[in-house]
Amino acid sequence: MPDAVWAEAPEDPEEAFLHIALSAYERLKTLERDEAARGEHHFSAWRRQYIHELCTIADQFGIAGLPSVSQAESANEGNFDTLLARVITRIRAAKRLDLRADTVVLSMHTKADIRQHLEELRSKINSSNLSDDVRSALHKKVDAVEAELEHQRTSLRPLWVLSGALTAACAAVSGTADLPAAIKNFNEVLSIVHHEKATEELASRRLREGPLISNEPRLQITDQSGGSEVQE
């Protein structure tokens, strides 16, 4: 797989495997159609490599359901496709359950703040001394955040992924000028997003649980005629 696919893979092992497996499948379909892309190797050789790599990646990521690395060479190709489809479906189904938990309805003001800081990040990424591959990968993560802002419910994961990738890039490369300051500002916006998520969860919990029952004594109303107090 190209380095760019690995650079763009999420940190979560299951999500990373899903990303790499789907990218590998698209690459395989391209090789099947394009004789020039296959080079001197027959398509069947590329397909065996595809199976071996995905089995190896699944083993490294702890993804169950595919043949072991030692069994990859003798794996039945048709059966492998069925097994891979089951693994992908299982991951997608599991991640769907987490989808709403990782989303929030953001205010228009917060979305505007995020867009402003994304533009600043783009500028700092372009002016940094990061490699072209790293800059390209970071820009794609910025694109993913921008795309989420168009939805009614915004997924938090692209924001987390971008924040982590930016921090890792700065740690790996010295002399990135004012990129750290841009990251700090972006992370401050993330704290606002998390506050809005916490507020949403609190409101949702109150709706589910209903009004709280107070242990305070009932309000006493003063009888204006005689000055005595009457229990409500």
Side-chain angles (χ1 to χ4, degrees):
M1 292 303 301
D3 290 343
V5 173
W6 288 97
E8 295 164 10
E11 292 185 13
D12 177 82
E14 289 190 332
E15 292 182 0
F17 179 79
L18 185 62
H19 169 80
I20 293 170
L22 295 177
S23 298
Y25 178 77
E26 290 300 320
R27 170 67 173 160
L28 186 69
K29 299 305 289 183
T30 299
L31 291 170
E32 185 178 23
R33 296 188 302 265
D34 190 344
E35 183 177 352
R38 293 197 298 268
E40 60 184 15
H41 302 289
H42 191 272
F43 176 70
S44 61
W46 284 107
R47 181 161 172 75
R48 298 304 304 174
Q49 179 70 15
Y50 161 81
I51 293 174
H52 186 273
E53 286 193 17
L54 287 185
C55 288
T56 302
I57 295 167
D59 180 68
Q60 290 295 314
F61 287 179
I63 307 296
L66 293 183
S68 66
V69 177
S70 60
Q71 297 171 329
E73 295 296 332
S74 58
N76 178 279
E77 294 188 8
N79 187 49
F80 176 81
D81 289 342
T82 301
L83 293 175
L84 180 61
R86 288 177 180 172
V87 171
I88 289 175
T89 300
R90 187 186 72 232
I91 294 174
R92 281 176 162 167
K95 295 306 175 184
R96 184 179 182 278
L97 297 176
D98 297 334
L99 183 61
R100 187 173 178 84
D102 292 338
T103 63
V104 63
V105 176
L106 296 175
S107 68
M108 296 302 294
H109 178 73
T110 298
K111 286 188 175 183
D113 276 352
I114 293 174
R115 289 189 174 99
Q116 178 182 342
H117 282 83
L118 290 179
E119 285 304 309
E120 180 185 0
L121 279 173
R122 282 193 187 280
S123 174
K124 303 309 180 187
I125 290 169
N126 287 333
S127 63
S128 71
N129 61 347
L130 299 169
S131 69
D132 290 343
D133 286 345
V134 173
R135 279 201 298 266
S136 176
L138 289 177
H139 278 306
K140 287 183 179 180
K141 290 177 173 60
V142 172
D143 291 341
V145 174
E146 286 186 328
E148 276 301 320
L149 296 178
E150 299 300 322
H151 299 157
Q152 181 178 3
R153 294 194 65 84
T154 300
S155 173
L156 300 177
R157 293 190 177 193
L159 284 91
W160 297 335
V161 169
L162 174 58
S163 179
L166 287 165
T167 302
C170 271
V173 180
S174 61
T176 50
D178 49 357
L179 183 57
I183 295 173
K184 180 176 181 294
N185 292 339
F186 180 72
N187 286 338
E188 288 174 357
V189 174
L190 279 185
S191 68
I192 298 174
V193 171
H194 291 155
H195 175 73
E196 292 194 17
K197 175 64 176 174
T199 301
E200 181 183 88
E201 289 179 344
L202 178 60
S204 176
R205 186 165 61 249
R206 285 175 174 171
L207 285 174
R208 292 194 306 268
E209 296 174 353
L212 297 176
I213 298 176
S214 174
N215 292 321
E216 294 295 323
R218 288 179 297 173
L219 178 66
Q220 292 184 327
I221 303 175
T222 302
D223 182 353
Q224 299 296 325
S225 61
S228 62
E229 292 183 337
V230 180
Q231 288 285 350
E232 185 183 35

